[in-house]
Amino acid sequence: MAIDGFASSVFMAPMAGITDQPWRKIVHECGEGNLISEMVAVNAIQFKNPKSYQIANVKDEPYPVVVQLVGNDPSLFAEAAKLVADLGAKSLDINMGCPVKKIVNNHSGSALMRDMPLASQIIEATVKASPLKVSVKFRKGWDSEHVNAVEFAKMCENSGASYITVHGRTRAQGYSGIADWDIIKAVKESVMIPVIGNGDIDSPQKAEQMLKYSHVDGIMIGRALLGNPWLLNQTHQYLTAGIKPIAPTLEQIKNTLLKHLALLVDYYGEKSGMAISRKHISWYVKGLYDAKAFREQYTKLNELAAAQDLVENFFTRVVI
Ligand SMILES: Cc1cc2nc3c(=O)[nH]c(=O)nc-3n(C[C@H](O)[C@H](O)[C@H](O)COP(=O)(O)O)c2cc1C
Protein backbone atom coordinates (compact mmCIF):
# COMPACT_ATOMS: atom_id res chain seq x y z
CA MET A 1 0.00 0.00 0.00
CA ALA A 2 1.48 3.38 -0.96
CA ILE A 3 1.34 5.86 1.86
CA ASP A 4 -1.18 8.44 0.78
CA GLY A 5 0.35 11.86 0.16
CA PHE A 6 3.98 10.70 0.13
CA ALA A 7 5.96 10.53 -3.08
CA SER A 8 8.30 7.83 -1.80
CA SER A 9 8.08 4.83 0.51
CA VAL A 10 11.52 5.75 1.91
CA PHE A 11 11.55 7.93 5.03
CA MET A 12 14.26 9.79 6.92
CA ALA A 13 14.09 8.96 10.66
CA PRO A 14 13.66 11.88 13.03
CA MET A 15 16.86 12.42 15.02
CA ALA A 16 17.17 15.12 17.68
CA GLY A 17 20.24 17.27 17.09
CA ILE A 18 20.56 16.03 13.51
CA THR A 19 17.46 16.30 11.31
CA ASP A 20 17.44 20.09 11.22
CA GLN A 21 16.86 22.36 8.24
CA PRO A 22 20.48 22.29 6.96
CA TRP A 23 20.45 18.49 7.05
CA ARG A 24 17.12 18.28 5.20
CA LYS A 25 18.43 20.62 2.52
CA ILE A 26 21.50 18.44 2.03
CA VAL A 27 19.49 15.21 1.86
CA HIS A 28 16.93 16.79 -0.44
CA GLU A 29 19.68 17.87 -2.85
CA CYS A 30 20.77 14.23 -3.05
CA GLY A 31 17.36 13.27 -4.49
CA GLU A 32 14.19 11.50 -3.36
CA GLY A 33 12.91 10.41 0.04
CA ASN A 34 10.61 11.91 2.68
CA LEU A 35 12.04 14.39 5.15
CA ILE A 36 11.28 15.03 8.82
CA SER A 37 12.12 17.50 11.58
CA GLU A 38 13.73 16.94 14.96
CA MET A 39 11.18 16.33 17.72
CA VAL A 40 9.68 19.47 19.17
CA ALA A 41 8.06 19.68 22.61
CA VAL A 42 4.39 20.72 22.46
CA ASN A 43 4.64 22.91 25.54
CA ALA A 44 7.75 24.65 24.24
CA ILE A 45 6.29 25.69 20.88
CA GLN A 46 3.17 26.67 22.74
CA PHE A 47 5.10 29.17 24.82
CA LYS A 48 7.10 30.22 21.79
CA ASN A 49 10.46 29.00 23.03
CA PRO A 50 12.68 30.36 20.21
CA LYS A 51 14.64 27.15 19.69
CA SER A 52 11.52 24.97 19.49
CA TYR A 53 9.80 27.50 17.29
CA GLN A 54 12.79 27.40 14.93
CA ILE A 55 12.60 23.59 14.78
CA ALA A 56 8.87 23.65 14.00
CA ASN A 57 9.11 26.41 11.42
CA VAL A 58 9.53 24.74 8.03
CA LYS A 59 7.70 27.42 6.04
CA ASP A 60 10.66 28.41 3.89
CA GLU A 61 11.51 24.90 2.77
CA PRO A 62 10.44 24.17 -0.80
CA TYR A 63 9.79 20.45 -0.16
CA PRO A 64 7.35 18.66 2.18
CA VAL A 65 8.48 18.18 5.78
CA VAL A 66 6.88 16.01 8.48
CA VAL A 67 7.12 17.72 11.88
CA GLN A 68 7.38 15.53 14.97
CA LEU A 69 5.80 16.51 18.30
CA VAL A 70 6.58 15.16 21.75
CA GLY A 71 4.75 15.72 25.04
CA ASN A 72 2.07 14.33 27.35
CA ASP A 73 -0.85 16.76 27.35
CA PRO A 74 -3.68 16.19 24.84
CA SER A 75 -4.82 19.82 24.88
CA LEU A 76 -1.30 21.11 24.21
CA PHE A 77 -1.00 18.63 21.34
CA ALA A 78 -4.25 19.95 19.90
CA GLU A 79 -2.99 23.53 19.96
CA ALA A 80 0.46 22.59 18.69
CA ALA A 81 -1.15 20.69 15.81
CA LYS A 82 -2.70 23.90 14.49
CA LEU A 83 0.51 25.82 15.00
CA VAL A 84 2.73 23.38 13.10
CA ALA A 85 0.27 23.47 10.20
CA ASP A 86 0.59 27.27 10.17
CA LEU A 87 4.36 26.88 10.29
CA GLY A 88 4.38 24.88 7.08
CA ALA A 89 4.38 21.20 8.12
CA LYS A 90 3.11 18.76 5.52
CA SER A 91 2.16 16.17 8.06
CA LEU A 92 2.48 15.63 11.80
CA ASP A 93 4.08 12.76 13.70
CA ILE A 94 3.73 11.99 17.41
CA ASN A 95 6.78 10.67 19.22
CA MET A 96 5.82 7.73 21.43
CA GLY A 97 9.17 5.97 21.20
CA CYS A 98 11.89 8.24 22.56
CA PRO A 99 13.85 6.35 25.25
CA VAL A 100 15.76 9.33 26.68
CA LYS A 101 15.39 9.69 30.48
CA LYS A 102 14.50 13.38 30.43
CA ILE A 103 11.62 12.69 28.03
CA VAL A 104 10.44 9.48 29.67
CA ASN A 105 10.52 11.03 33.15
CA ASN A 106 8.20 13.67 31.77
CA HIS A 107 5.72 10.88 30.90
CA SER A 108 6.41 11.45 27.18
CA GLY A 109 8.04 9.50 24.33
CA SER A 110 8.18 5.76 25.05
CA ALA A 111 6.62 6.26 28.52
CA LEU A 112 3.32 6.55 26.64
CA MET A 113 3.64 2.91 25.61
CA ARG A 114 2.92 2.18 29.29
CA ASP A 115 -0.10 4.45 29.36
CA MET A 116 -2.30 3.48 26.42
CA PRO A 117 -5.37 5.46 27.62
CA LEU A 118 -3.36 8.71 27.66
CA ALA A 119 -1.62 7.83 24.39
CA SER A 120 -5.03 7.32 22.83
CA GLN A 121 -6.35 10.63 24.18
CA ILE A 122 -3.31 12.42 22.74
CA ILE A 123 -3.81 10.90 19.31
CA GLU A 124 -7.56 11.60 19.31
CA ALA A 125 -7.11 15.20 20.42
CA THR A 126 -4.39 15.80 17.84
CA VAL A 127 -6.36 14.20 15.00
CA LYS A 128 -9.45 16.20 15.92
CA ALA A 129 -7.58 19.52 15.95
CA SER A 130 -5.15 18.91 13.12
CA PRO A 131 -5.75 19.97 9.55
CA LEU A 132 -2.87 17.61 8.71
CA LYS A 133 -2.46 13.86 8.65
CA VAL A 134 -1.34 12.51 12.03
CA SER A 135 1.02 9.56 12.41
CA VAL A 136 2.61 7.91 15.46
CA LYS A 137 6.11 6.53 15.92
CA PHE A 138 6.69 3.98 18.66
CA ARG A 139 8.80 0.98 19.67
CA LYS A 140 8.45 -2.74 20.18
CA GLY A 141 7.49 -2.09 23.81
CA TRP A 142 8.90 -0.89 27.10
CA ASP A 143 11.16 -3.88 27.77
CA SER A 144 11.32 -7.60 26.98
CA GLU A 145 8.64 -8.26 29.63
CA HIS A 146 6.33 -5.66 28.15
CA VAL A 147 6.19 -6.10 24.40
CA ASN A 148 2.95 -4.41 23.32
CA ALA A 149 3.63 -3.01 19.83
CA VAL A 150 0.71 -4.94 18.31
CA GLU A 151 -1.86 -3.70 20.85
CA PHE A 152 -0.36 -0.25 20.63
CA ALA A 153 -0.63 -0.24 16.84
CA LYS A 154 -4.32 -1.21 17.06
CA MET A 155 -4.90 1.56 19.59
CA CYS A 156 -3.22 4.08 17.22
CA GLU A 157 -5.45 2.95 14.37
CA ASN A 158 -8.61 3.13 16.49
CA SER A 159 -7.62 6.58 17.75
CA GLY A 160 -7.38 7.97 14.22
CA ALA A 161 -3.71 7.77 13.21
CA SER A 162 -3.22 7.84 9.41
CA TYR A 163 -0.14 5.65 9.52
CA ILE A 164 2.35 4.36 12.08
CA THR A 165 6.08 3.75 12.31
CA VAL A 166 7.47 0.98 14.47
CA HIS A 167 11.10 0.72 15.59
CA GLY A 168 11.88 -2.90 16.41
CA ARG A 169 13.59 -2.29 19.76
CA THR A 170 12.21 -1.89 23.27
CA ARG A 171 12.79 1.23 25.30
CA ALA A 172 15.15 -0.76 27.53
CA GLN A 173 17.32 -1.61 24.51
CA GLY A 174 17.83 2.01 23.54
CA TYR A 175 19.78 1.66 20.30
CA SER A 176 21.65 -1.51 21.24
CA GLY A 177 21.09 -5.07 20.09
CA ILE A 178 19.38 -5.99 16.87
CA ALA A 179 16.05 -4.57 15.76
CA ASP A 180 13.30 -7.20 15.82
CA TRP A 181 11.78 -7.36 12.35
CA ASP A 182 9.29 -10.05 13.49
CA ILE A 183 7.49 -7.51 15.65
CA ILE A 184 7.40 -5.14 12.67
CA LYS A 185 5.83 -7.93 10.61
CA ALA A 186 3.32 -8.69 13.38
CA VAL A 187 2.34 -5.03 13.58
CA LYS A 188 1.86 -4.89 9.83
CA GLU A 189 -0.41 -7.93 9.98
CA SER A 190 -2.52 -6.45 12.77
CA VAL A 191 -3.72 -3.15 11.29
CA MET A 192 -5.24 -1.77 8.08
CA ILE A 193 -3.44 1.61 8.14
CA PRO A 194 0.00 1.82 6.48
CA VAL A 195 3.01 0.74 8.53
CA ILE A 196 6.59 1.97 8.21
CA GLY A 197 9.31 -0.36 9.45
CA ASN A 198 12.38 1.02 11.21
CA GLY A 199 15.56 -0.40 12.67
CA ASP A 200 18.98 -1.33 11.34
CA ILE A 201 18.45 -0.50 7.65
CA ASP A 202 21.88 0.52 6.41
CA SER A 203 21.70 -0.12 2.67
CA PRO A 204 19.15 -0.20 -0.16
CA GLN A 205 19.41 -3.99 -0.17
CA LYS A 206 18.59 -4.15 3.54
CA ALA A 207 15.57 -1.91 2.92
CA GLU A 208 14.39 -4.35 0.28
CA GLN A 209 14.89 -7.23 2.73
CA MET A 210 12.71 -5.52 5.31
CA LEU A 211 9.98 -4.84 2.74
CA LYS A 212 10.02 -8.45 1.57
CA TYR A 213 10.16 -9.89 5.06
CA SER A 214 7.53 -7.81 6.80
CA HIS A 215 5.46 -6.46 3.88
CA VAL A 216 5.49 -3.00 5.41
CA ASP A 217 4.36 -0.06 3.30
CA GLY A 218 7.45 2.04 3.86
CA ILE A 219 10.85 1.93 5.48
CA MET A 220 12.65 4.47 7.66
CA ILE A 221 16.40 5.03 7.90
CA GLY A 222 18.16 6.76 10.81
CA ARG A 223 21.77 6.25 11.83
CA ALA A 224 22.99 4.90 8.50
CA LEU A 225 22.29 8.33 6.98
CA LEU A 226 24.83 10.03 9.22
CA GLY A 227 27.64 11.23 6.97
CA ASN A 228 25.82 9.52 4.10
CA PRO A 229 22.99 11.78 2.91
CA TRP A 230 23.01 9.95 -0.46
CA LEU A 231 21.54 6.80 1.10
CA LEU A 232 17.90 7.97 1.17
CA ASN A 233 17.83 8.62 -2.58
CA GLN A 234 19.92 5.52 -3.34
CA THR A 235 17.35 3.45 -1.46
CA HIS A 236 14.46 5.07 -3.30
CA GLN A 237 16.15 4.50 -6.69
CA TYR A 238 16.97 0.90 -5.86
CA LEU A 239 13.45 0.07 -4.67
CA THR A 240 11.64 1.83 -7.49
CA ALA A 241 13.94 1.20 -10.46
CA GLY A 242 16.47 -1.41 -9.35
CA ILE A 243 19.32 1.11 -9.71
CA LYS A 244 22.34 -0.16 -7.80
CA PRO A 245 23.92 2.39 -5.43
CA ILE A 246 27.26 3.91 -6.41
CA ALA A 247 29.51 5.24 -3.63
CA PRO A 248 29.99 9.02 -3.73
CA THR A 249 33.31 10.27 -5.09
CA LEU A 250 35.77 12.13 -2.88
CA GLU A 251 34.85 15.29 -4.75
CA GLN A 252 31.15 14.73 -3.91
CA ILE A 253 31.96 14.09 -0.26
CA LYS A 254 34.07 17.25 -0.06
CA ASN A 255 31.51 19.44 -1.81
CA THR A 256 28.61 18.10 0.24
CA LEU A 257 30.51 18.50 3.47
CA LEU A 258 31.46 22.12 2.59
CA LYS A 259 27.90 22.93 1.62
CA HIS A 260 26.55 21.39 4.82
CA LEU A 261 29.04 23.38 6.87
CA ALA A 262 28.04 26.64 5.18
CA LEU A 263 24.33 25.90 5.70
CA LEU A 264 24.88 25.17 9.40
CA VAL A 265 26.74 28.45 9.90
CA ASP A 266 24.09 30.32 7.97
CA TYR A 267 21.25 28.78 9.99
CA TYR A 268 22.74 28.81 13.51
CA GLY A 269 25.39 31.53 13.28
CA GLU A 270 29.14 30.90 13.16
CA LYS A 271 29.74 29.80 16.77
CA SER A 272 26.89 27.29 17.10
CA GLY A 273 27.07 26.25 13.44
CA MET A 274 30.75 25.38 13.78
CA ALA A 275 30.10 23.43 17.00
CA ILE A 276 27.25 21.45 15.44
CA SER A 277 29.29 20.79 12.29
CA ARG A 278 31.91 18.77 14.21
CA LYS A 279 29.86 15.60 14.55
CA HIS A 280 28.70 15.75 10.91
CA ILE A 281 32.23 16.32 9.64
CA SER A 282 33.44 13.30 11.63
CA TRP A 283 30.77 11.13 10.03
CA TYR A 284 31.53 12.33 6.50
CA VAL A 285 35.25 11.50 6.72
CA LYS A 286 34.88 8.24 8.65
CA GLY A 287 37.07 5.61 7.07
CA LEU A 288 39.10 8.05 4.99
CA TYR A 289 42.87 8.13 5.27
CA ASP A 290 44.16 10.26 8.18
CA ALA A 291 40.62 11.14 9.28
CA LYS A 292 41.55 10.99 12.95
CA ALA A 293 44.20 13.71 12.68
CA PHE A 294 41.82 15.79 10.54
CA ARG A 295 39.04 15.50 13.14
CA GLU A 296 41.39 16.52 15.94
CA GLN A 297 42.43 19.64 14.04
CA TYR A 298 38.88 20.43 13.00
CA THR A 299 37.58 20.29 16.59
CA LYS A 300 39.89 23.15 17.57
CA LEU A 301 38.48 25.52 14.94
CA ASN A 302 35.76 28.09 15.56
CA GLU A 303 35.77 30.01 12.30
CA LEU A 304 34.17 29.02 9.04
CA ALA A 305 37.03 30.26 6.83
CA ALA A 306 39.63 28.26 8.76
CA ALA A 307 37.41 25.16 8.64
CA GLN A 308 36.95 25.50 4.88
CA ASP A 309 40.74 25.77 4.40
CA LEU A 310 41.35 22.69 6.51
CA VAL A 311 38.74 20.68 4.58
CA GLU A 312 40.22 21.73 1.20
CA ASN A 313 43.66 20.80 2.40
CA PHE A 314 42.54 17.44 3.79
CA PHE A 315 40.86 16.45 0.52
CA THR A 316 43.93 17.28 -1.57
CA ARG A 317 45.86 14.72 0.48
CA VAL A 318 43.25 12.06 1.09
CA VAL A 319 43.21 8.68 -0.59
CA ILE A 320 40.61 5.96 -0.05
C1 LIG B 1 20.83 10.68 17.79
C2 LIG B 1 19.45 10.14 17.62
C3 LIG B 1 18.38 10.96 17.87
C4 LIG B 1 17.07 10.47 17.73
N1 LIG B 1 16.01 11.31 17.90
C5 LIG B 1 14.74 10.86 17.70
C6 LIG B 1 13.63 11.74 17.78
O1 LIG B 1 13.76 12.95 18.03
N2 LIG B 1 12.39 11.21 17.56
C7 LIG B 1 12.20 9.88 17.28
O2 LIG B 1 11.06 9.45 17.09
N3 LIG B 1 13.24 9.04 17.18
C8 LIG B 1 14.50 9.50 17.37
N4 LIG B 1 15.55 8.65 17.22
C9 LIG B 1 15.31 7.25 16.79
C10 LIG B 1 15.37 7.13 15.26
O3 LIG B 1 14.36 7.88 14.66
C11 LIG B 1 15.26 5.65 14.83
O4 LIG B 1 14.03 5.16 15.32
C12 LIG B 1 16.39 4.79 15.38
O5 LIG B 1 17.65 5.41 15.18
C13 LIG B 1 16.39 3.40 14.72
O6 LIG B 1 16.60 3.49 13.34
P1 LIG B 1 18.05 3.14 12.66
O7 LIG B 1 18.41 1.76 13.11
O8 LIG B 1 17.82 3.27 11.19
O9 LIG B 1 19.01 4.16 13.21
C14 LIG B 1 16.86 9.12 17.36
C15 LIG B 1 17.97 8.30 17.13
C16 LIG B 1 19.25 8.79 17.26
C17 LIG B 1 20.41 7.87 16.99
Side-chain angles (χ1 to χ4, degrees):
M1 185 196 310
I3 303 183
D4 198 24
F6 289 96
S8 173
S9 59
V10 179
F11 290 74
M12 168 192 285
M15 288 183 280
I18 292 156
T19 51
D20 55 10
Q21 191 203 87
W23 174 243
R24 288 191 294 273
K25 281 192 175 160
I26 290 291
V27 175
H28 177 68
E29 282 190 10
C30 294
E32 304 293 326
N34 305 303
L35 309 173
I36 192 161
S37 72
E38 302 171 80
M39 65 177 162
V40 50
V42 284
N43 49 332
I45 33 174
Q46 204 57 36
F47 301 117
K48 297 220 165 64
N49 167 307
K51 190 166 175 251
S52 301
Y53 211 74
Q54 188 185 29
I55 294 176
N57 187 359
V58 298
K59 237 189 252 162
D60 294 338
E61 292 174 68
Y63 39 75
V65 180
V66 179
V67 170
Q68 190 186 58
L69 297 175
V70 66
N72 62 21
D73 181 333
S75 62
L76 289 184
F77 266 94
E79 288 185 43
K82 290 180 218 143
L83 198 60
V84 293
D86 290 344
L87 291 173
K90 176 211 163 60
S91 172
L92 191 166
D93 187 60
I94 304 179
N95 180 334
M96 295 193 175
C98 182
V100 173
K101 252 196 194 141
K102 201 174 117 192
I103 301 287
V104 168
N105 289 346
N106 193 30
H107 210 64
S108 304
S110 57
L112 291 167
M113 291 201 75
R114 298 210 287 185
D115 189 346
M116 287 231 264
L118 178 59
S120 172
Q121 282 172 34
I122 288 173
I123 300 167
E124 281 177 6
T126 312
V127 170
K128 194 163 165 222
S130 176
L132 307 171
K133 238 188 244 299
V134 175
S135 57
V136 183
K137 180 166 178 283
F138 57 93
R139 286 183 171 240
K140 175 178 174 177
W142 179 257
D143 57 23
S144 56
E145 309 284 293
H146 302 89
V147 171
N148 62 345
V150 167
E151 297 92 296
F152 203 81
K154 289 182 187 159
M155 177 279 292
C156 291
E157 179 169 50
N158 292 334
S159 305
S162 292
Y163 69 92
I164 50 178
T165 304
V166 59
H167 173 197
R169 284 187 178 80
T170 61
R171 187 266 169 177
Q173 283 179 294
Y175 299 100
S176 65
I178 296 169
D180 177 0
W181 289 9
D182 286 321
I183 194 81
I184 296 173
K185 188 168 187 261
V187 165
K188 171 62 195 163
E189 284 162 5
S190 70
V191 290
M192 303 291 285
I193 52 174
V195 176
I196 299 174
N198 170 237
D200 296 347
I201 296 174
D202 58 5
S203 67
Q205 292 84 347
K206 198 108 181 248
E208 186 181 45
Q209 280 168 26
M210 183 188 277
L211 285 172
K212 284 194 173 149
Y213 185 73
S214 63
H215 304 290
V216 282
D217 309 281
I219 59 94
M220 181 177 274
I221 309 178
R223 290 163 297 168
L225 281 177
L226 304 176
N228 187 7
W230 301 275
L231 180 61
L232 210 67
N233 179 57
Q234 287 174 346
T235 305
H236 175 89
Q237 301 303 342
Y238 184 74
L239 295 177
T240 53
I243 299 169
K244 296 226 170 71
I246 301 171
T249 63
L250 281 177
E251 190 69 10
Q252 279 174 308
I253 298 174
K254 182 185 88 173
N255 292 339
T256 304
L257 184 161
L258 284 171
K259 176 129 204 213
H260 195 173
L261 172 58
L263 286 170
L264 286 167
V265 167
D266 189 48
Y267 188 69
Y268 292 107
E270 192 167 42
K271 190 163 178 270
S272 303
M274 281 297 299
I276 293 168
S277 76
R278 287 178 193 139
K279 59 189 173 197
H280 288 286
I281 269 43
S282 298
W283 292 321
Y284 280 112
V285 302
K286 201 170 153 196
L288 297 183
Y289 172 76
D290 223 11
K292 187 163 177 269
F294 167 72
R295 270 199 295 268
E296 280 166 11
Q297 285 176 287
Y298 190 94
T299 306
K300 294 183 190 135
L301 302 177
N302 294 309
E303 282 163 16
L304 175 63
Q308 287 167 328
D309 283 350
L310 185 72
V311 170
E312 289 287 357
N313 187 278
F314 172 69
F315 277 92
T316 56
R317 289 182 292 113
V318 80
V319 281
I320 292 187

